[in-house]
Amino acid sequence: MTSKFEGTERYVATEDLMMAVNAAVTLARPLLVKGEPGTGKTQLAEEIARSLDKPLYRWHVKSTTKAQHGLYEYDAVSRLRDSQLGDAKVHDIGNYIIPGRLWEAFRSERQAVLLIDEIDKADIEFPNDLLLELDRMEFYVHETREMIQATHRPIVIITSNNEKELPDAFLRRCFFHFIRFPDAETMTRIIGVHFPELKRELLAEALNAFYKLRDVPGLKKKPSTSELLDWLKLLLAEDIPPEALRTDDPRKSLPPLYGALLKNEQDVHLFEQLIFLQRRQSRQ
Amino acid sequence: MLTPFFYTLREAGVPASVTEYLTLLEALQRGLANYSVNDFYFLARATLVKDEKHFDRFDKAFTHYFKGIEQSFEHLQQALPEDWLKLLAERHFTPEEMAQIEALGGWDKLMETLTQRLEEQKGRHEGGNKWIGTGGTSPFGHGGYNPEGIRIGGPGGKGKAVKVWERRDYRNLDDNVELGTRNIKVALRKLRRFAREGAADQFDIDSTISATARNAGLLDLKFQPERHNALKLLLFFDVGGSMESHVRVCEELFSAARGEFKHLEYFYFHNFIYESVWKNSRRRHGERTTLFDILRKYQPDYRVIFIGDASMSPYEIMQPGGSIEHWNEEAGAVWLQRLTQRFQRYAWLNPEPQDRWDYVQSIGIARQLLAERMYPLTLHGLDDAIRALKA
């Protein structure tokens, strides 16, 4: 194996994640990554591209995206317009074939990393339409009757938020990794990577408050890693002292700048109620 | 050489295929996991398991298969993290409970005895008052009555055990008992059936192009109606009585269904379907819809979902006058059959855990009446129900 992915100075990879990535790279098969929102699924592709020094092509999937969009699009409307204007370009249909992200990745001179982001957002048939393309890394352009083949099989990273189940035939062709919510130890490493100059007391207090908040039952949206990082950024910017985050404090008030952690007014409301209840209990 | 392992996985319910097994072998050949069980575990998981809800089954099967060389991967068989348990205890116990723990000689003693008994005990155990198992009065196990008990695995029968300790990390992802509105929505989405109906008000680029081409290049605009979910759904909810404990999950199902379907009608009933149902619980005695109206008003292409625990006295289903609320001229079974004859595609979702169904006679009767189309109200059950509704 020429190069191995071992995380980067900006991205902490767990052992099982490294194994999954390296397996996908070695066997040149797609890697499907799932996990809670905000655990760094999308970032993974960027970091793989960075650490292995390869160009990255991003394909963000939306609910209206069709598999064809990733291959190429035939711009019939501008050809129609050109024909009405009598443009000479119109005789070559190739002028109106616009390559998609998959095509670009196939065409890349060096091996590329292709990110297919949030594949579950698209229609249920979307993954099935890409089976052959991802398996053989080639496709056929009907309009120009040419076969597009990948010069180097790209490293394909696919992320999913589990909104739709993916078809079995598709899953069989991928490696799979589920990013768990990091435990406190991994989290400390992640934070160390992002805020090397963070004071230890502040970090300890912040983590404490954060995990406590995640433990509150009934939260609609539990704060995730990316929200914790945002919150820490704010805490640093505002220069909040560690004492303000003291562990027993949830009884007294919401943690400072809680807006970065709780993204749902029902959650804020629930949390306030819990504090109220606790305060009443402690008074009795 | 790994083929028996592959079959162990399949027996354990991990849906691994031959292609994936060959991929694993190829990866091993390429030297991805040399000399380390740890690496092999991660590699096998990434190759053979494609859904985090199967991680737990994989873990179990893996442990089972490689039992002989247990020592080499302690990370799968960790000892009880005592400090962590202590931390939890401080957070979860009230002072009274802490005092009760003292009854058994304090926390340290409790943990010590637990470890000791875990070692002493071999095999499954039920009842009794010493060994770890189910339903007993020993402080360890689950479903028991000892207030200072430690629950080990399994569901808590009496809600008495103080803290669950699960060794297998991904257990809560298995078969998802946790049914959120979002999960239900995703499941219900499979029922969608798109159709274009109504006014043609969306620009149809494909037809426009082909029409224009046929028109020798002169623009010929084409429009089409917007795509809507055309599926129609009738929901019947059991309310009150034994359904009280399932209110939350029913609410979630209802709100998810409301968001997903445009043609959705819902009605409430109590325990079983009789000659009338209602829409507004506060005025349930005044405003009732007779079942004959429903049978007439809704076309047979409506899908019908009943949600109820079907737990009652068998008389309430089989006998005229069996209803606990009023005198019904005809038995509930007759009314249910009228509904299922009119609406061919139906399913009954039951929030009671499936393993208890066999012990309730009325559930058995209802299942017979429904041609076995009763499904547990879990994500998995919902999937099955939807498959039945689609067929």
Side-chain angles (χ1 to χ4, degrees), chain A residues 95-122:
Chain A
N95 287 331
Y96 303 95
I97 302 286
I98 301 161
R101 304 308 267 172
L102 213 61
W103 189 338
E104 284 177 11
F106 283 3
R107 219 167 39 177
S108 164
E109 278 164 25
R110 294 183 294 141
Q111 189 188 33
V113 178
L114 172 67
L115 166 69
I116 304 180
D117 206 10
E118 313 206 24
I119 194 164
D120 53 328
K121 294 277 179 296

Side-chain angles (χ1 to χ4, degrees), chain A residues 1 15-16 19 22-23 26-27 29 34 76-77 80 84 162-163 171-172 174-176 178 180 215, chain B residues 17 20 23 26 30 32 38-39 42-43 45-47 49-50 52 55 91 169-170 182 186 209 217:
Chain A
M1 222 184 311
E15 218 178 325
D16 46 346
M19 174 51 79
N22 287 323
T26 314
L27 297 192
R29 259 170 240 216
K34 282 208 247 175
V77 175
L80 179 67
Q84 309 240 309
N162 241 354
E163 283 188 25
L171 293 175
R172 302 245 177 283
C174 307
F175 284 98
F176 172 69
F178 179 78
R180 290 182 58 197
D215 272 352
Chain B
S17 73
E20 287 161 319
T23 313
E26 191 187 337
R30 301 282 287 270
L32 272 164
N38 214 339
D39 284 354
F42 290 140
L43 179 67
R45 205 180 66 187
T47 327
V49 193
K50 298 298 157 68
E52 67 275 12
F55 276 4
R91 221 190 299 167
D169 283 346
Y170 290 98
R182 176 154 198 90
V186 173
I209 291 168

